[in-house]
Amino acid sequence: MTKLDSRIPEGPIAEKWTRHKNSINVVNPANKRLIDVIVVGTGLAGGSASASLAEMGYNVKAFCFQDSPRRAHSIAAQGGINAAKNYQNDGDSTYRLFYDTVKGGDYRSREANVYRLAEVSANIIDQCVAQGVPFARDYGGLLDNRSFGGVLVSRTFYAKGQTGQQLLLGAYSAMSRQIGKGKIKMYNRHEMLDVVKVDGKARGIIARDLVTGAIERHSAHAVVICSGGYGNVFFLSTNAMGSNVTAAWKIHKKGAYFANPCYTQIHPTCIPRSGDHQSKLTLMSESLRNDGRIWVPKKIEDVKAIREGKLKPTQLKEEDRDYYLERRYPAFGNLVPRDVASRAAKERCDEGFGVNNTGEAVYLDFASSFMRYGKEKAMVEGIENASPEKIRELGEGVIEAKYGNLFQMYEKIVDENPYKTPMMIYPAVHYTMGGVWVDYNLMTTIPGCYCLGEANFSDHGANRLGASALMQGLADGYFVLPYTIGDQLAHDIRTGPISTDLPEFIEAEKSVKDGLSKLINNKGTHSVDYFHKRLGKVMWDKVGMARDEKGLKEAIAEIQQIRTEFWADVRIPGGLNEMNPELEKAGRVADFLELGELFAKDALERNESCGGHFREESKTEDGEALRNDKDFAYVAAWEYTGEPKDAVLHKEELEFKDIELKQRSYK
Ligand SMILES: Cc1cc2nc3c(=O)[nH]c(=O)nc-3n(C[C@H](O)[C@H](O)[C@H](O)COP(=O)(O)OP(=O)(O)OC[C@H]3O[C@@H](n4cnc5c(N)ncnc54)[C@H](O)[C@@H]3O)c2cc1C
């Protein structure tokens, strides 16, 4: 059994990272040329890692299943990226970002990692500005900031509503430089289907060329997994359609522990589901909560009139509106963290106050911001006695400049003009805090196998604060792994190239081929999506925003049943040795069907509420999440032993030396 050693350095928290860098092994520049590293995934985490490792001299082989690194899911990130720069002079600091992140994660993350994240956050902005990332700037030309949920300062850097896209272009241009120099060999349209271990160490991968169907062996001295999150286990989520758990799950099956699988973030501001035909949900960026106010009608008769189309939301008087977040959480108001905002929306909708036909929508209203900004603009432009209409028009212009693309996106999807009527929003699956367990060096429990970005479990505890995923992915790739990987690779300077003819490669390749043949020859009667949708429904209904023992036990049994049916009855058209998107999907759904069970098992085991994990059995009198630090202040790291039901739990006890454990309050 592998022992869990988080390898947290000794010393005061503010010195740990510096001391660690000073004391770990390094590989000299000439020797780096003798070492190969495989990076699976070229989103922000993998793109930044590949570029940095190649820049340092390692030979990098990078893989992604899209046709270009530029299409990684990271490109969808809208709102921004955090950094403790304190440009607003509002009291931000490394410590405050560290504190907010630990508190935001409901005290379920590792202090040392989070402090390091806060510490390197400022470097990320400098790095990206140097790459030419066009962050928004204020009137004086300095970088602008906005605020995200769960914090009392403005520390979010942004590029309109396209922050992920701009950051990814930055990372991609850094990669391209290395691709051009031959230091990165880029394998687009390749999917990793297994990791290869030799003498217990990760020494390569088996990948499928998604265009030809060919199965390939690739070797290296280390393997870095940056394959993103697994929110699509719910079928409907705001993730890109291709996001999946396969790479992470395959390493889990080969010995990497999977941590806190049940920690999932349900984002409060998504466009509500309109029916059963949908295969994707759309996020409206959290940045909108800076200026939008969330409400539902106070009276149930007004809800009915709105649903029947007899009353427009704009006709409802102020006193008839329930700005429930401002009412319940006066200190943070509309900017409470995501888990709190999501549960509050669910609570109102469960009580019957949902404002659309499915009863699952609340309003996000910009009317007061239009007027506030409009008045300011009229003053600035010297317009005296501006009419309310003029003020609103000016205000709409200001909002358009800030969030224009998001408003346009909303109008295209919902066919309603959000400048004229409040947006409707509802929570949706968005991000997974759980993931592959890693130590302080970001190494998994497989020596030589690392995991970065959303695919790992580190840093966000039970709930991620807005704009902190991009920060973590880029911290991992630009500033952490490039140092820590040397600690392991220093032992490989004399190893020489790893042969792909080793029996371990042959065996892994055979097992991948057998698995694919089994799928394609199944000749069942149902499509892959049929099973994925069924899994998603169980996950949402019984392992979603609120969970209880009975529902979780039912979910485990139902997922096992769906898995059995999947293997007996799935039908995949097309062949093995060709481009076959249904086959790709089938492999991913097969893994989701195993992960889903472990997810529910983890949620069942954690009989407390924390962050995004809400157990009905563990709440305060006023319905807030109730943590149980005495019994659950640990990371649950699961070891694969054959079937998800037999997974073995290992506990990494969490120590809080620099932050006092408190019941989280945003009131
Ligand atoms: C709509 C939306 C908006 C968001 N906005 C923000 C925001 O404003 N701020 C913020 O901080 N966070 C935001 N997030 C979260 C953030 O975007 C993600 O957490 C982050 O981009 C993940 O980056 P990553 O590099 O870990 O993974 P990804 O960007 O998902 O990249 C995964 C990579 O792995 C590759 N891959 C996966 N499996 C395999 C395999 N088996 N073989 C080969 N390649 C594989 C893919 O091809 C891809 O290159 C948002 C998320 C969503 C859904």
Side-chain angles (χ1 to χ4, degrees):
M1 187 193 291
T2 317
K3 191 179 163 308
L4 269 189
D5 178 4
S6 52
R7 303 187 62 192
I8 300 170
E10 294 299 322
I13 194 128
E15 290 172 26
K16 282 183 193 290
W17 179 227
T18 307
R19 285 192 190 196
H20 190 62
K21 281 188 292 182
N22 288 344
S23 61
I24 56 177
N25 295 317
V26 290
V27 180
N28 95 22
N31 284 332
K32 287 196 179 93
R33 291 197 285 274
L34 308 175
I35 291 181
D36 305 327
V37 181
I38 284 176
V39 180
V40 177
T42 50
L44 281 175
S48 57
S50 302
S52 306
L53 294 173
E55 185 77 43
M56 290 163 77
Y58 294 111
N59 308 309
V60 175
K61 301 177 192 178
F63 294 78
C64 74
F65 62 72
Q66 290 93 348
D67 56 354
S68 157
R70 285 170 306 173
R71 292 196 201 284
H73 160 67
S74 290
I75 206 142
Q78 302 168 343
I81 174 166
N82 288 331
K85 285 273 201 190
N86 194 29
Y87 281 172
Q88 304 307 315
N89 204 18
D90 54 1
D92 203 5
S93 63
T94 299
Y95 183 84
R96 192 176 283 277
L97 174 52
F98 159 63
Y99 175 83
D100 287 344
T101 309
V102 172
K103 175 183 171 191
D106 219 352
Y107 305 89
R108 290 293 173 263
S109 44
R110 201 188 275 154
E111 273 192 343
N113 285 52
V114 180
Y115 195 92
R116 173 176 65 188
L117 176 65
E119 199 178 333
V120 303
S121 66
N123 302 0
I124 299 171
I125 303 303
D126 299 342
Q127 164 88 359
C128 296
V129 169
Q131 287 170 345
V133 171
F135 284 122
R137 289 177 184 268
D138 66 16
Y139 178 73
L142 300 173
L143 296 187
D144 198 12
N145 290 128
R146 54 190 174 199
S147 203
F148 265 49
V151 303
L152 294 170
V153 296
S154 286
R155 62 160 75 98
T156 305
F157 294 77
Y158 63 101
K160 220 173 185 183
Q162 305 166 345
T163 315
Q165 179 179 1
Q166 298 305 328
L167 292 172
L168 192 60
L169 290 176
Y172 178 63
S173 57
M175 274 185 83
S176 297
R177 183 173 123 80
Q178 299 301 329
I179 293 172
K181 288 166 73 180
K183 289 301 289 179
I184 296 181
K185 172 109 180 70
M186 186 63 224
Y187 294 88
N188 296 322
R189 305 295 280 130
H190 275 69
E191 182 162 28
M192 168 201 159
L193 294 179
D194 210 352
V195 65
V196 182
K197 277 166 60 177
V198 179
D199 296 332
K201 288 184 185 170
R203 292 301 199 189
I205 64 167
I206 304 297
R208 181 165 181 267
D209 179 330
L210 299 179
V211 178
T212 65
I215 303 295
E216 300 171 1
R217 306 173 198 170
H218 295 273
S219 70
H221 298 92
V223 175
V224 185
I225 303 294
C226 312
S227 51
Y230 53 83
N232 281 346
V233 65
F234 285 83
F235 185 70
L236 284 180
S237 89
T238 64
N239 286 194
M241 294 291 290
S243 295
N244 68 87
V245 77
T246 289
W249 197 250
K250 298 302 187 200
I251 63 167
H252 172 55
K253 289 175 103 166
K254 284 277 177 83
Y257 291 0
F258 208 100
N260 305 329
C262 80
Y263 288 168
T264 308
Q265 180 159 84
I266 316 265
H267 198 299
T269 52
C270 302
I271 297 181
R273 198 174 61 93
S274 64
D276 289 336
H277 56 281
Q278 249 171 289
S279 51
K280 172 91 184 73
L281 292 172
T282 306
L283 173 78
M284 298 311 297
S285 165
E286 174 159 329
S287 58
L288 295 174
R289 284 202 274 145
N290 270 272
D291 288 311
R293 297 176 70 197
I294 296 175
W295 63 274
V296 290
K298 274 187 188 159
K299 297 186 218 138
I300 210 81
E301 54 269 29
D302 287 339
V303 173
K304 283 190 188 132
I306 286 175
R307 284 193 198 168
E308 286 164 10
K310 292 180 187 152
L311 182 69
K312 289 193 177 135
T314 45
Q315 292 170 326
L316 215 67
K317 292 199 214 79
E318 268 310 294
E319 59 267 29
D320 292 330
R321 300 173 177 202
D322 177 13
Y323 294 95
Y324 57 87
L325 288 177
E326 296 170 35
R327 169 170 58 81
R328 287 179 62 178
Y329 308 100
F332 283 69
N334 293 294
L335 282 174
V336 288
R338 293 172 178 180
D339 56 330
V340 177
S342 290
R343 276 196 296 277
K346 180 177 185 307
E347 188 275 332
R348 283 295 75 198
C349 292
D350 287 353
E351 290 301 309
F353 290 89
V355 292
N356 68 352
N357 289 338
T358 64
E360 291 187 338
V362 300
Y363 288 125
L364 177 64
D365 192 338
F366 291 83
S368 52
S369 289
F370 293 147
M371 300 310 282
R372 180 164 47 87
Y373 283 123
K375 276 185 198 145
E376 201 177 287
K377 185 90 176 163
M379 297 275 283
V380 170
E381 295 193 352
I383 306 172
E384 279 175 28
N385 302 324
S387 66
E389 293 74 26
K390 182 67 187 169
I391 289 177
R392 185 168 169 122
E393 183 195 319
L394 291 168
E396 286 181 7
V398 175
I399 291 285
E400 187 181 0
K402 283 178 118 174
Y403 314 109
N405 62 324
L406 301 173
F407 275 59
Q408 188 195 28
M409 192 167 81
Y410 182 88
E411 186 166 3
K412 285 217 172 230
I413 293 173
V414 182
D415 198 22
E416 273 184 2
N417 182 346
Y419 293 100
K420 302 301 167 204
T421 185
M423 284 183 184
M424 281 190 282
I425 53 165
Y426 195 68
V429 172
H430 178 66
Y431 181 89
T432 44
M433 283 76 65
V436 178
W437 185 90
V438 287
D439 65 14
Y440 191 73
N441 281 347
L442 303 182
M443 192 164 84
T444 70
T445 42
I446 302 177
C449 182
Y450 294 78
C451 191
L452 276 53
E454 192 173 338
N456 75 22
F457 90 105
S458 81
D459 299 8
H460 307 296
N463 172 56
R464 173 176 70 79
L465 290 181
S468 285
L470 303 184
M471 171 174 71
Q472 182 226 325
L474 291 181
D476 288 358
Y478 284 134
F479 296 108
V480 180
L481 183 82
Y483 291 104
T484 58
I485 200 169
D487 199 34
Q488 175 81 11
L489 291 177
H491 303 293
D492 271 321
I493 54 179
R494 287 190 201 87
T495 306
I498 311 279
S499 164
T500 54
D501 293 330
L502 290 168
E504 290 84 350
F505 277 90
I506 296 168
E507 200 183 303
E509 183 189 76
K510 181 174 177 318
S511 131
V512 165
K513 283 185 171 167
D514 290 350
L516 291 170
S517 301
K518 192 169 166 196
L519 282 171
I520 206 95
N521 293 322
N522 205 41
K523 309 292 177 222
T525 55
H526 286 294
S527 69
V528 177
D529 270 4
Y530 167 82
F531 294 101
H532 196 178
K533 275 188 188 169
R534 281 179 57 193
L535 169 67
K537 182 155 171 41
V538 174
M539 294 297 295
W540 183 249
D541 289 347
K542 296 182 174 164
V543 203
M545 259 194 282
R547 303 148 179 190
D548 64 21
E549 182 181 344
K550 180 171 166 289
L552 289 168
K553 286 185 170 160
E554 286 168 5
I556 290 173
E558 286 169 28
I559 295 167
Q560 287 169 351
Q561 177 62 25
I562 300 171
R563 197 165 67 232
T564 308
E565 288 179 36
F566 171 87
W567 283 105
D569 201 19
V570 70
R571 178 175 182 80
I572 298 150
L576 265 184
N577 304 315
E578 60 190 34
M579 184 183 239
N580 189 340
E582 279 299 297
L583 180 60
E584 292 166 32
K585 254 195 319 195
R588 294 170 193 166
V589 171
D591 293 332
F592 278 142
L593 282 164
E594 294 184 7
L595 164 78
E597 187 183 338
L598 185 68
F599 190 130
K601 185 179 160 88
D602 185 49
L604 181 62
E605 191 272 338
R606 190 169 283 279
N607 192 7
E608 65 159 350
S609 294
C610 57
H613 169 62
F614 189 78
R615 281 289 297 261
E616 292 287 3
E617 297 91 341
S618 183
K619 57 187 174 193
T620 61
E621 270 174 14
D622 49 357
E624 302 292 342
L626 184 62
R627 269 194 351 258
N628 173 354
D629 294 329
K630 188 168 113 344
D631 299 317
F632 293 98
Y634 60 77
V635 174
W638 295 93
E639 179 185 6
Y640 183 83
T641 60
E643 288 280 329
K645 70 174 171 35
D646 300 325
V648 175
L649 174 63
H650 300 260
K651 296 179 183 176
E652 178 193 339
E653 297 296 337
L654 292 167
E655 287 188 346
F656 294 91
K657 292 183 183 157
D658 290 270
I659 289 182
E660 188 194 346
L661 271 170
K662 279 193 202 149
Q663 194 61 36
R664 216 164 44 131
S665 169
Y666 292 94
K667 300 196 175 200

